[in-house]
């Protein structure tokens, strides 16, 4: 039989939830339910999601499984959605951080499943450290010691990188290495490019009480030049504040949403009506052929 297991990776997404809520069905969800959930027509939509997530946990702990576990372990349990914000797939220079968390300071995380290798890791971490003072890698329990050796061999910053392990019990282990502050690679340009136009204009107005007088085509470069006049620590702090404002801490995090869907709902900016979502998840799944 053809191995089409990758389809299950697409189930835990805002697109699938949107289709289920607003169109009444999702082809991806239907296919995965019929392929991986025995007697799915006897279960609710929420139960089908739960069974599909258990399949991931048992057979293919993919990037989403890592992301959701890190999200629940670090943001929901150890911090608070009221004071801390998180982003996923944040572009930082030429790198893309899998998970970023901002409280008073920002921390970037690279998630490495058992299917990943460490070939590009040093370049990825360099990119993260151009904007964030703390960077960490999350690996499986089997990879932990190997990851420590690889990371510690990385130039000056290696020993400052945090290393967390996802245990066989599917939790972030308390026995790990927390990141240490490293500012040696911070870059004004990397920080500036994290900001949207209105955000960097707000930063410049607060710092200089005016904006460059330039033609629109030259405005980006002129604003970057002004931004680069700030002390790097100030530039970083102002950037983190703007990023935190962008998402805005929530006083009402949907903890009643099943654990397997919490990061999907959060990273969708909590746009789902809770009653509508609960009605969907409690509804009997209608099997499509």
């Amino acid at each position: 039989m053809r191995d089409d297991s990758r389809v299950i990776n697409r189930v835990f997404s805002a697109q699938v939830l949107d289709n289920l809520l607003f169109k009444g069905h999702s082809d991806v969800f239907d296919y995965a339910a019929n392929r991986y959930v025995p007697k799915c027509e006897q279960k609710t939509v929420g139960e089908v999601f739960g069974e599909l997530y258990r399949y991931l946990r048992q057979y293919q702990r993919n990037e989403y499984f890592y992301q959701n576990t890190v999200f629940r372990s670090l943001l929901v349990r150890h911090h608070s959605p009221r004071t801390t914000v998180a982003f996923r797939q944040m572009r930082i220079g030429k790198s893309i951080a899998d998970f970023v968390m901002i409280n008073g300071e920002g921390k970037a995380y690279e998630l490495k499943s058992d299917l990943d290798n460490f070939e590009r890791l040093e370049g990825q971490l360099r990119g993260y450290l151009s904007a964030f003072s703390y960077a960490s890698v999350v690996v499986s329990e089997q990879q932990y010691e190997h990851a420590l050796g690889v990371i510690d061999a990385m130039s000056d910053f290696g020993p400052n990188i945090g290393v967390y392990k996802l245990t066989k019990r599917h939790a972030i282990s308390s026995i790990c290495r927390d990141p240490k502050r490293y500012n040696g690679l911070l870059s004004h340009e990397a920080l500036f490019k994290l900001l949207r136009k209105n955000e960097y204009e707000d930063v410049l107005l607060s710092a200089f009480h005016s904006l460059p007088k330039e033609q629109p085509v030259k405005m980006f470069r002129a604003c970057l030049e002004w931004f680069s006049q700030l002390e790097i620590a100030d530039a970083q702090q102002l950037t983190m504040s703007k990023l935190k404002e962008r998402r805005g801490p929530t006083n009402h995090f949907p903890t009643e949403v099943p654990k397997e869907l919490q990061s999907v709902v959060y990273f969708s900016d909590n746009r789902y009506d809770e009653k509508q979502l609960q009605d969907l998840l409690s509804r009997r799944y209608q099997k499509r052929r």
Side-chain angles (χ1 to χ4, degrees):
M1 181 180 292
R2 180 171 60 93
D3 180 10
D4 51 6
S5 60
R6 289 185 179 182
V7 71
I8 201 172
N9 297 346
R10 299 164 55 199
V11 168
F12 298 93
S13 67
Q15 182 177 7
V16 165
L17 275 184
D18 284 348
N19 288 340
L20 289 171
L21 281 166
F22 307 123
K23 294 183 178 180
H25 78 278
S26 159
D27 291 340
V28 170
F29 187 78
D30 291 336
Y31 184 90
N34 285 273
R35 175 73 171 80
Y36 297 104
V37 182
K39 299 181 180 179
C40 57
E41 70 279 4
Q42 299 178 16
K43 297 176 171 63
T44 66
V45 172
E47 288 170 340
V48 173
F49 269 118
E51 297 232 5
L52 291 171
Y53 194 75
R54 281 189 285 278
Y55 181 93
L56 284 184
R57 183 175 61 196
Q58 184 172 357
Y59 296 110
Q60 53 184 90
R61 300 196 307 182
N62 64 353
E63 183 177 325
Y64 176 76
F65 186 86
Y66 273 67
Q67 172 201 288
N68 196 53
T69 303
V70 169
F71 172 81
R72 286 174 44 76
S73 297
L74 299 183
L75 180 63
V76 179
R77 294 175 186 161
H78 292 167
H79 291 275
S80 167
R82 297 183 180 183
T83 58
T84 305
V85 300
F87 298 86
R88 64 176 179 176
Q89 298 297 301
M90 176 179 281
R91 180 170 291 282
I92 309 167
K94 295 181 180 179
S95 301
I96 298 178
D98 291 320
F99 185 79
V100 168
M101 194 165 60
I102 301 173
N103 192 338
E105 299 178 292
K107 299 178 181 179
Y109 297 81
E110 174 65 22
L111 312 181
K112 292 292 188 187
S113 74
D114 286 331
L115 301 176
D116 295 324
N117 59 55
F118 299 143
E119 289 179 4
R120 297 173 51 245
L121 183 58
E122 182 168 0
Q124 291 171 312
L125 293 173
R126 283 184 178 277
Y128 304 164
L129 290 170
S130 68
F132 297 91
S133 295
Y134 298 91
S136 298
V137 181
V138 181
V139 298
S140 68
E141 201 164 13
Q142 302 94 289
Q143 291 180 306
Y144 182 72
E145 293 299 331
H146 176 58
L148 282 174
V150 170
I151 291 167
D152 282 347
M154 294 178 184
S155 58
D156 293 338
F157 64 81
N160 294 74
I161 300 298
V163 186
Y164 295 92
K165 58 183 171 183
L166 185 64
T167 69
K168 294 177 182 177
R169 294 188 175 185
H170 318 296
I172 300 298
S173 173
S174 59
I175 303 174
C176 57
R177 186 172 83 185
D178 292 323
K180 299 175 185 176
R181 175 184 290 277
Y182 187 85
N183 291 336
L185 295 173
L186 288 180
S187 158
H188 284 91
E189 184 169 355
L191 288 164
F192 185 79
K193 288 183 176 179
L194 291 179
L195 299 172
R196 297 168 179 166
K197 182 175 183 292
N198 65 302
E199 293 170 339
Y200 64 68
E201 286 182 348
D202 284 348
V203 168
L204 296 183
L205 284 170
S206 67
F208 301 104
H209 309 293
S210 64
L211 295 174
K213 292 181 171 30
E214 277 290 355
Q215 299 174 8
V217 71
K218 297 181 179 180
M219 193 63 171
F220 178 86
R221 183 56 55 182
C223 286
L224 173 56
E225 289 175 1
W226 280 32
F227 185 82
S228 299
Q229 296 175 34
L230 298 171
E231 292 290 336
I232 192 67
D234 294 336
Q236 185 190 49
Q237 189 275 324
L238 289 166
T239 300
M240 295 304 114
S241 294
K242 282 298 173 187
L243 292 176
K244 193 171 181 181
E245 288 175 14
R246 182 186 301 176
R247 181 171 293 282
T250 176
N251 291 320
H252 187 61
F253 179 74
T255 52
E256 66 278 7
V257 172
K259 63 183 180 180
E260 57 267 18
L261 290 173
Q262 284 187 355
S263 68
V264 174
V265 172
Y266 178 87
F267 289 121
S268 301
D269 297 322
N270 295 304
R271 69 172 177 261
Y272 302 115
D273 177 80
E274 290 183 40
K275 183 179 184 307
Q276 190 178 28
L277 189 57
Q278 289 299 329
D279 288 346
L280 168 68
L281 296 175
S282 61
R283 188 176 73 200
R284 178 65 62 88
Y285 173 66
Q286 296 295 317
K287 187 173 183 178
R288 294 171 61 89
R289 301 183 185 276

Short mmCIF file of all heavy atoms in Angstrom, two decimals, residues 74-92:
data_model
loop_
_atom_site.label_atom_id
_atom_site.label_comp_id
_atom_site.label_asym_id
_atom_site.label_seq_id
_atom_site.Cartn_x
_atom_site.Cartn_y
_atom_site.Cartn_z
N LEU A 74 5.87 25.26 27.65
CA LEU A 74 6.58 26.50 27.97
C LEU A 74 5.65 27.69 28.14
O LEU A 74 5.86 28.51 29.03
CB LEU A 74 7.62 26.80 26.89
CG LEU A 74 8.71 25.74 26.72
CD1 LEU A 74 9.71 26.20 25.67
CD2 LEU A 74 9.42 25.46 28.03
N LEU A 75 4.63 27.81 27.31
CA LEU A 75 3.76 28.98 27.41
C LEU A 75 2.61 28.74 28.38
O LEU A 75 2.42 29.51 29.33
CB LEU A 75 3.20 29.35 26.03
CG LEU A 75 2.26 30.57 26.01
CD1 LEU A 75 3.00 31.83 26.46
CD2 LEU A 75 1.66 30.78 24.63
N VAL A 76 1.85 27.68 28.17
CA VAL A 76 0.64 27.47 28.96
C VAL A 76 0.96 27.10 30.40
O VAL A 76 0.34 27.60 31.34
CB VAL A 76 -0.24 26.39 28.30
CG1 VAL A 76 -1.50 26.14 29.14
CG2 VAL A 76 -0.63 26.81 26.89
N ARG A 77 1.95 26.22 30.60
CA ARG A 77 2.22 25.71 31.96
C ARG A 77 3.23 26.55 32.72
O ARG A 77 3.06 26.81 33.91
CB ARG A 77 2.71 24.27 31.88
CG ARG A 77 1.66 23.30 31.36
CD ARG A 77 2.24 21.91 31.20
NE ARG A 77 1.29 21.01 30.56
CZ ARG A 77 1.62 19.87 29.98
NH1 ARG A 77 2.89 19.48 29.97
NH2 ARG A 77 0.70 19.10 29.42
N HIS A 78 4.32 26.97 32.07
CA HIS A 78 5.41 27.63 32.79
C HIS A 78 5.32 29.15 32.73
O HIS A 78 5.97 29.83 33.52
CB HIS A 78 6.76 27.16 32.25
CG HIS A 78 7.04 25.72 32.56
ND1 HIS A 78 8.05 25.01 31.96
CD2 HIS A 78 6.42 24.85 33.39
CE1 HIS A 78 8.06 23.76 32.43
NE2 HIS A 78 7.08 23.65 33.28
N HIS A 79 4.59 29.68 31.79
CA HIS A 79 4.40 31.13 31.71
C HIS A 79 2.90 31.40 31.76
O HIS A 79 2.17 30.69 32.42
CB HIS A 79 5.05 31.69 30.44
CG HIS A 79 6.54 31.61 30.46
ND1 HIS A 79 7.33 32.57 31.04
CD2 HIS A 79 7.38 30.66 29.99
CE1 HIS A 79 8.61 32.23 30.92
NE2 HIS A 79 8.67 31.07 30.28
N SER A 80 2.46 32.41 31.08
CA SER A 80 1.03 32.71 31.06
C SER A 80 0.70 33.44 29.77
O SER A 80 1.40 34.39 29.41
CB SER A 80 0.64 33.58 32.25
OG SER A 80 -0.67 34.11 32.08
N PRO A 81 -0.36 33.02 29.08
CA PRO A 81 -0.78 33.77 27.89
C PRO A 81 -1.19 35.20 28.20
O PRO A 81 -1.35 36.00 27.29
CB PRO A 81 -1.98 32.95 27.38
CG PRO A 81 -1.77 31.57 27.92
CD PRO A 81 -1.14 31.80 29.27
N ARG A 82 -1.35 35.52 29.47
CA ARG A 82 -1.69 36.90 29.84
C ARG A 82 -0.48 37.82 29.79
O ARG A 82 -0.62 39.03 29.65
CB ARG A 82 -2.29 36.93 31.25
CG ARG A 82 -3.61 36.17 31.37
CD ARG A 82 -4.18 36.29 32.77
NE ARG A 82 -5.44 35.56 32.89
CZ ARG A 82 -6.18 35.53 33.98
NH1 ARG A 82 -5.79 36.21 35.05
NH2 ARG A 82 -7.30 34.84 34.02
N THR A 83 0.69 37.27 29.95
CA THR A 83 1.90 38.09 30.01
C THR A 83 2.93 37.74 28.94
O THR A 83 3.90 38.47 28.77
CB THR A 83 2.57 37.96 31.39
OG1 THR A 83 2.90 36.58 31.63
CG2 THR A 83 1.65 38.44 32.50
N THR A 84 2.72 36.64 28.26
CA THR A 84 3.70 36.15 27.29
C THR A 84 3.00 35.88 25.97
O THR A 84 1.87 35.38 25.95
CB THR A 84 4.35 34.85 27.81
OG1 THR A 84 4.91 35.09 29.09
CG2 THR A 84 5.43 34.37 26.86
N VAL A 85 3.66 36.20 24.87
CA VAL A 85 3.11 35.90 23.55
C VAL A 85 4.03 34.96 22.81
O VAL A 85 5.22 34.87 23.12
CB VAL A 85 2.88 37.19 22.72
CG1 VAL A 85 1.92 38.13 23.42
CG2 VAL A 85 4.20 37.89 22.41
N ALA A 86 3.49 34.27 21.84
CA ALA A 86 4.28 33.32 21.06
C ALA A 86 3.97 33.48 19.59
O ALA A 86 2.88 33.91 19.20
CB ALA A 86 4.00 31.89 21.52
N PHE A 87 4.96 33.14 18.77
CA PHE A 87 4.82 33.13 17.32
C PHE A 87 5.39 31.82 16.80
O PHE A 87 6.24 31.20 17.43
CB PHE A 87 5.60 34.28 16.68
CG PHE A 87 5.14 35.65 17.10
CD1 PHE A 87 5.64 36.24 18.26
CD2 PHE A 87 4.21 36.35 16.34
CE1 PHE A 87 5.22 37.50 18.65
CE2 PHE A 87 3.79 37.61 16.72
CZ PHE A 87 4.29 38.19 17.88
N ARG A 88 4.94 31.41 15.64
CA ARG A 88 5.54 30.25 14.99
C ARG A 88 5.99 30.66 13.59
O ARG A 88 5.48 31.59 12.99
CB ARG A 88 4.55 29.09 14.91
CG ARG A 88 3.34 29.39 14.05
CD ARG A 88 2.44 28.18 13.93
NE ARG A 88 1.26 28.48 13.13
CZ ARG A 88 0.34 27.60 12.79
NH1 ARG A 88 0.46 26.35 13.19
NH2 ARG A 88 -0.70 27.96 12.06
N GLN A 89 6.98 29.95 13.08
CA GLN A 89 7.49 30.18 11.72
C GLN A 89 7.80 31.66 11.49
O GLN A 89 7.35 32.26 10.52
CB GLN A 89 6.46 29.68 10.69
CG GLN A 89 6.19 28.19 10.76
CD GLN A 89 7.43 27.34 10.46
OE1 GLN A 89 8.00 27.44 9.39
NE2 GLN A 89 7.84 26.52 11.42
N MET A 90 8.59 32.22 12.39
CA MET A 90 8.99 33.62 12.27
C MET A 90 10.27 33.73 11.45
O MET A 90 11.29 33.13 11.81
CB MET A 90 9.19 34.26 13.65
CG MET A 90 9.70 35.69 13.59
SD MET A 90 9.92 36.46 15.21
CE MET A 90 8.22 36.89 15.59
N ARG A 91 10.23 34.51 10.39
CA ARG A 91 11.42 34.70 9.57
C ARG A 91 12.37 35.68 10.24
O ARG A 91 11.98 36.79 10.61
CB ARG A 91 11.06 35.21 8.17
CG ARG A 91 12.28 35.43 7.28
CD ARG A 91 11.88 35.71 5.85
NE ARG A 91 11.32 34.55 5.20
CZ ARG A 91 12.04 33.52 4.71
NH1 ARG A 91 13.38 33.56 4.80
NH2 ARG A 91 11.47 32.49 4.13
N ILE A 92 13.62 35.25 10.41
CA ILE A 92 14.66 36.08 11.00
C ILE A 92 15.84 36.03 10.04
O ILE A 92 16.58 35.05 9.99
CB ILE A 92 15.09 35.58 12.39
CG1 ILE A 92 13.87 35.36 13.28
CG2 ILE A 92 16.05 36.56 13.05
CD1 ILE A 92 14.16 34.59 14.55
#
